Amino acid sequence: MPSNELKNGLPAEIKMETTYVQNGETHHHSFEENGRVVYMNSSYYIRFEEAHELGSVPVTIKINPDGVVQLIRRGEQTTRFVFDSDQKTESNYRTPAGIIPLTVTTDDIRVSYYDRPFAGRIWVDYTLSANHQKIGDYHIRLRFTT
């Protein structure tokens, strides 16, 4: 049972690495940000701002009690990916040019928590497709510590 502090939200250090392969090219991004971890309605929410050259993008990662993880980015390009190892999920990638329907296939997902201090790790490997054509393979490695 999460502590009352988590229900009110705790400051957290967030470390996130993403690697993806598109058109035979590998790309890697990593960053460290300050954020918050909140426990609400049986789910954990990890919220932070992902800094880029052009500004920052609010990011929320929701960890459901059944192990399904959602990644929500709200910026010029808005995404809401649902990572579920039991089924493919659909997402709409909103860009200034319009909406692109995407299919998310979760190949591997792992979530673990640690006490004192409360911390966790999220590991997601997934494939994105549009119009039944593979866009690329993606890997997210996120660690948070309160």
Side-chain angles (χ1 to χ4, degrees):
M1 182 74 177
S3 67
N4 283 334
E5 289 111 10
L6 266 176
K7 291 178 181 177
N8 295 324
L10 286 175
E13 291 179 15
I14 314 290
K15 295 179 182 177
M16 186 165 166
E17 293 183 31
T18 56
T19 305
Y20 60 95
V21 179
Q22 286 179 327
N23 301 321
E25 290 186 31
T26 301
H27 304 269
H28 182 82
H29 300 284
S30 64
F31 64 87
E32 295 183 25
E33 300 288 347
N34 291 319
R36 288 189 80 69
V37 176
V38 178
Y39 182 79
M40 184 171 51
N41 300 325
S42 301
S43 296
Y44 289 98
Y45 294 82
I46 303 163
R47 296 184 172 126
F48 56 95
E49 297 272 330
E50 189 175 301
H52 296 281
E53 312 80 47
L54 304 174
S56 62
V57 177
V59 177
T60 300
I61 295 180
K62 179 183 179 187
I63 307 168
N64 295 329
D66 61 2
V68 172
V69 173
Q70 293 182 47
L71 169 67
I72 302 131
R73 281 191 172 98
R74 290 190 172 92
E76 194 169 313
Q77 287 88 18
T78 298
T79 55
R80 178 186 218 104
F81 292 149
V82 176
F83 304 112
D84 184 342
S85 58
D86 293 335
Q87 62 185 351
K88 292 181 181 183
T89 59
E90 303 296 321
S91 178
N92 289 321
Y93 182 58
R94 288 181 172 80
T95 72
I99 296 174
I100 303 168
L102 298 173
T103 301
V104 179
T105 304
T106 305
D107 304 310
D108 191 12
I109 188 167
R110 300 176 205 176
V111 178
S112 55
Y113 303 105
Y114 308 91
D115 288 329
R116 296 187 189 96
F118 182 69
R121 293 182 182 194
I122 301 168
W123 169 307
V124 180
D125 295 339
Y126 65 101
T127 302
L128 281 183
S129 304
N131 296 323
H132 306 288
Q133 301 231 343
K134 182 176 173 179
I135 296 172
D137 294 309
Y138 300 78
H139 312 281
I140 296 173
R141 306 293 181 261
L142 182 135
R143 291 184 318 214
F144 66 90
T145 305
T146 59

